[in-house]
Amino acid sequence: DADVTQTPRNRITKTGKRIMLECSQTKGHDRMYWYRQDPGLGLQLIYYSFDVKDINKGEISDGYSVSRQAQAKFSLSLESAIPNQTALYFCATSDPGAGAGDGELFFGEGSRLTVL
Amino acid sequence: GENVEQHPSTLSVQEGDSAVIKCTYSDSASNYFPWYKQELGKRPQLIIDIRSNVGEKKDQRIAVTLNKTAKHFSLHITETQPEDSAVYFCAASFYGQNFVFGPGTRLSVLP
């Protein structure tokens, strides 16, 4: 089945370290997103990309950067991790032209990051 | 920008009863409103959505209503079952761009 895959699934790191979370998809979707989930705060958009040459900031982009290496790959980097970036991170894809509403979001399984 | 509020934050119902979760949004340009269900330890998944040109949509035990004038929309689950226990998120967007999510409602269905 076509899917959205995130690596690593779990990561513990120390303050100041550089971390990269990777996302790859076999759905053939152009749109890709990175969300952060904290308890009681829902899903907050970090960055999104509508095609390989398009990168846009979301609600909480400070402290994060992204790279869209190909249609199928979208990576999230924390240049210098800090403890309040401890959270569950989700990658998602969508294809508004697929007929599923105005673009159902298909989420990966999540990457749990702990910054000590 | 868009802001989405969601109430209640937690909801407990007896099995077989109905559950209602309400969301309000701030940007009148938003025209697509999906609901996602996230079971414990799992990824969020779409359960139902509604566009702004429709007032109500039903899918078996689940329904969503939209009041554009008041800028609020609600999720209704009837005949609740234990497998309905999860966190539910509402969201608002403009043509599927920039989804803004509510903070979530944790629904517990008690046997």
Side-chain angles (χ1 to χ4, degrees), chain B residues 9-81:
Chain B
S9 57
T10 61
L11 178 60
S12 294
V13 299
Q14 291 295 133
E15 183 176 353
D17 287 350
S18 295
V20 180
I21 302 170
K22 299 181 179 181
C23 288
T24 60
Y25 61 100
S26 61
D27 190 347
S28 56
S30 291
N31 60 3
Y32 174 60
F33 307 93
W35 286 88
Y36 285 80
K37 175 183 180 182
Q38 186 179 26
E39 297 177 0
L40 188 63
K42 301 284 184 67
R43 67 186 93 182
Q45 292 190 299
L46 180 72
I47 56 171
I48 196 167
D49 56 14
I50 191 167
R51 291 191 182 92
S52 59
N53 61 348
V54 175
E56 182 175 1
K57 183 176 178 181
K58 283 181 120 174
D59 182 3
Q60 300 184 333
R61 297 186 296 107
I62 294 173
V64 57
T65 59
L66 171 66
N67 182 325
K68 282 194 302 182
T69 303
K71 289 189 280 191
H72 66 69
F73 56 112
S74 300
L75 178 71
H76 304 253
I77 306 174
T78 58
E79 301 173 16
T80 53
Q81 302 169 3

Side-chain angles (χ1 to χ4, degrees), chain A residues 3-4 31 33 35 37 40-43 45 48 50 59 88 90 94 96 99-105 107-109, chain B residues 2 31-32 36 38 41-46 49-51 87 89 93-104:
Chain A
D3 205 357
V4 182
R31 296 185 175 186
Y33 308 78
Y35 282 92
Q37 184 175 30
L41 292 178
L43 294 150
L45 182 62
Y48 62 101
F50 284 176
E59 308 163 70
L88 181 59
F90 283 102
S94 75
D102 275 304
E104 175 181 355
L105 288 171
F107 288 88
E109 292 183 301
Chain B
E2 177 64 276
N31 60 3
Y32 174 60
Y36 285 80
Q38 186 179 26
K42 301 284 184 67
R43 67 186 93 182
Q45 292 190 299
L46 180 72
D49 56 14
I50 191 167
R51 291 191 182 92
V87 178
F89 295 99
S93 78
F94 178 71
Y95 287 110
Q97 301 176 33
N98 302 0
F99 291 88
V100 177
F101 285 82

